[in-house]
Amino acid sequence: MTQRDAVFPPARHALYERHRYSPAIRSNGFLFVSGQVGSLEDGSPEPDLQSQVRLAFNNLNAILDAAGCSFDDAVDVTVFMVDPQATFETIWEVVPEFWGQAPYPTITAVGVTWLAGFRFEIKVIARLPENT
């Protein structure tokens, strides 16, 4: 079996070790990033929804940065929202702060009933720059 080329951000190693997953894996010129939530240092959810979304993007951006890329390199995005009918507008007020300029990545939004106490999660596939 080929060794996985895992990417870890500078912090949050205990979270990944405790739950036994990698934050991201490099493969064939792409970076596959695990779903990121707006967790505080202790792993608990940020209570305010908009702050939770910002923190999820910040956690995502830390992983992208550790891999030598940015959200501008994202080609496919999946977001998960608990009760999207009630939360979509509140969440989407924050997204433009991080989304960048057109052309935008593809997106799939999924309504879910449970995210372990969180209300928003984002995962991406990003194209790695040629030199990484």
Side-chain angles (χ1 to χ4, degrees):
M1 180 175 147
T2 304
Q3 180 71 25
R4 291 183 183 101
D5 185 8
V7 176
F8 287 85
R12 303 169 54 84
H13 290 272
L15 174 71
Y16 301 118
E17 185 65 29
R18 182 173 65 232
H19 296 292
R20 302 178 58 84
Y21 71 100
S22 296
I25 299 288
R26 286 185 192 98
S27 181
N28 294 322
F30 290 94
L31 183 71
F32 297 85
V33 182
S34 294
Q36 297 298 303
V37 293
S39 58
L40 301 171
E41 288 293 321
D42 66 0
S44 67
E46 161 59 50
D48 175 73
L49 179 57
Q50 287 191 334
S51 295
Q52 189 179 118
V53 173
R54 283 185 186 94
L55 192 51
F57 268 98
N58 288 337
N59 292 337
L60 169 65
N61 286 335
I63 294 168
L64 293 169
D65 185 59
C69 58
S70 72
F71 192 81
D72 289 339
D73 298 303
V75 294
D76 185 57
V77 177
T78 305
V79 296
F80 304 90
M81 296 173 273
V82 173
D83 193 6
Q85 188 170 6
T87 60
F88 182 84
E89 293 302 324
T90 301
I91 290 168
W92 234 250
E93 288 175 10
V94 176
V95 169
E97 296 173 22
F98 298 92
W99 209 249
Q101 302 298 315
Y104 305 110
T106 64
I107 186 167
T108 302
V110 181
V112 297
T113 59
W114 184 80
L115 286 173
F118 296 91
R119 296 189 287 163
F120 176 82
E121 182 174 347
I122 182 169
K123 70 182 295 327
V124 305
I125 299 170
R127 185 164 190 66
L128 290 164
E130 296 293 324
N131 58 355
T132 57

